[in-house]
Amino acid sequence: MPKVRAGQVELEVVRRGVGMPVLLVHGFPLDHSMWHTQIELLSSRWQVIAPDLRGFGGSQALGGTATMEQMADDLDAMLDELEVDEPVVLCGLSMGGYVGFQFWRKHRARLRALVLCDTRAIADTPEGAAGRLKLAETVLHDGTGSLADAMLPKLFAPATIEREKEMVQSQRRKILGASREGVAAALRGMAARPSAVDYLPQISLPTLVVVGSEDAISTPGEMRGIAAAIPGSEFVVIPHSGHMTPLENPAAFDTAIQRFLARVESGS
Ligand code: MLT
């Protein structure tokens, strides 16, 4: 995969297809490959750009704290480096959505539309943030094994874990192979992230809000609230899916995103 210098860091990025740029931003603690079905499908009609965020996949890990704002700035610098001048549709899942809110706050002129998948607008509670900081130390010390054990049952619906054993195992391998420093830095960054609740009524871009019917991290009720706060947004519940909608029910996810992208492209 090609590497691109993006400000302070070097990011690996898949770029495929031509036309309206669609920037796919992965969740924690995974990498761009969680979008493999969408990269294949969407690039037949649009230009897909799917980076590994700093600290994940093949991208450089700097350690310390990787804030959601820094990750958004990395994406802005990456788009400069790739000479993408046209506004992009940013599609972010979970941590990718946290990065998306910061991208909207700082680099709004670069955005054509937003797809917010299985994400949260609220900040961590003090207990939640303390738990992340503790987990960061555990990962640095012991590796990502306990993180994989803790995360997988939250990422996927119980039926997906039963039905899609190989897919779930491949995500487990991703977590086990992730950089300790990269994971710890992102945990600290997520713990420090500001609330995006006040931004929601100000988002005037076409926005699609997507959630899995059994998402245990960003629940359908919470995401319905995000959609209700963003004027004119569209809300889609993906059936038979937990938090990882693009992997758990790609058929329904792809239908929703393709319909939305076509609408954005035609300006209707
Ligand atoms: C993710 O999928 O990116 C994580 O669940 C985000 C989080 O831990 O808040």
Side-chain angles (χ1 to χ4, degrees):
M1 249 167 80
K3 291 208 193 269
V4 171
R5 165 110 332 246
Q8 295 175 307
V9 284
E10 212 168 49
L11 301 184
E12 270 199 2
V13 55
V14 168
R15 187 186 198 183
R16 200 168 300 165
V18 290
M20 182 174 75
V22 181
L23 175 59
L24 300 177
V25 189
H26 65 81
F28 172 89
L30 305 171
D31 65 24
H32 80 281
S33 63
M34 60 154 279
W35 300 111
H36 67 97
T37 308
Q38 291 71 38
I39 293 171
E40 212 48 51
L41 182 78
L42 301 180
S43 64
S44 65
R45 180 154 173 200
W46 296 290
Q47 177 187 177
V48 175
I49 302 168
D52 288 338
L53 292 168
R54 61 163 73 190
F56 295 94
S59 291
Q60 197 182 351
L62 294 184
T65 300
T67 66
M68 303 301 105
E69 181 177 348
Q70 280 167 334
M71 292 192 193
D73 290 345
D74 293 345
L75 297 181
D76 175 58
M78 176 198 74
L79 291 173
D80 280 345
E81 202 58 34
L82 294 174
E83 299 183 359
V84 176
D85 300 326
E86 211 185 315
V88 304
V89 181
L90 188 154
C91 170
L93 184 134
S94 202
M95 181 177 75
Y98 308 158
V99 175
F101 285 130
Q102 294 306 312
F103 196 93
W104 172 85
R105 189 174 67 77
K106 291 194 72 181
H107 309 291
R108 206 168 307 174
R110 282 210 114 125
L111 283 173
R112 180 157 178 175
L114 274 175
V115 184
L116 299 169
C117 314
D118 306 276
T119 193
R120 313 190 77 185
I122 55 173
D124 279 359
T125 60
E127 299 73 34
R132 290 209 207 255
L133 299 182
K134 195 157 165 249
L135 185 56
E137 293 313 309
T138 308
V139 167
L140 283 175
H141 198 259
D142 302 333
T144 53
S146 56
L147 176 70
D149 292 341
M151 285 294 293
L152 287 169
K154 293 192 209 152
L155 292 178
F156 295 103
T160 308
I161 293 177
E162 270 305 303
R163 196 183 58 237
E164 304 278 350
K165 291 196 171 63
E166 182 39 44
M167 184 276 284
V168 172
Q169 277 313 310
S170 78
Q171 298 310 310
R172 182 184 184 82
R173 287 193 290 275
K174 284 277 164 201
I175 301 174
L176 295 178
S179 140
R180 296 179 185 204
E181 290 72 24
V183 165
L187 281 166
R188 295 190 187 111
M190 288 193 288
R193 77 185 189 282
S195 165
V197 171
D198 291 346
Y199 310 158
L200 303 178
Q202 301 171 47
I203 296 178
S204 57
L205 297 162
T207 302
L208 171 65
V209 177
V210 177
V211 68
S213 57
E214 292 159 60
D215 189 335
I217 297 177
S218 40
T219 63
E222 186 174 338
M223 290 223 67
R224 188 182 294 280
I226 292 179
I230 300 177
S233 68
E234 188 185 334
F235 179 59
V236 174
V237 178
I238 304 294
H240 314 298
S241 181
H243 190 59
M244 297 304 299
T245 43
L247 284 167
E248 296 189 65
N249 190 345
F253 182 88
D254 293 346
T255 301
I257 192 168
Q258 285 185 104
R259 213 178 34 214
F260 177 74
L261 292 174
R263 198 157 61 75
V264 168
E265 189 172 40
S266 70
S268 64

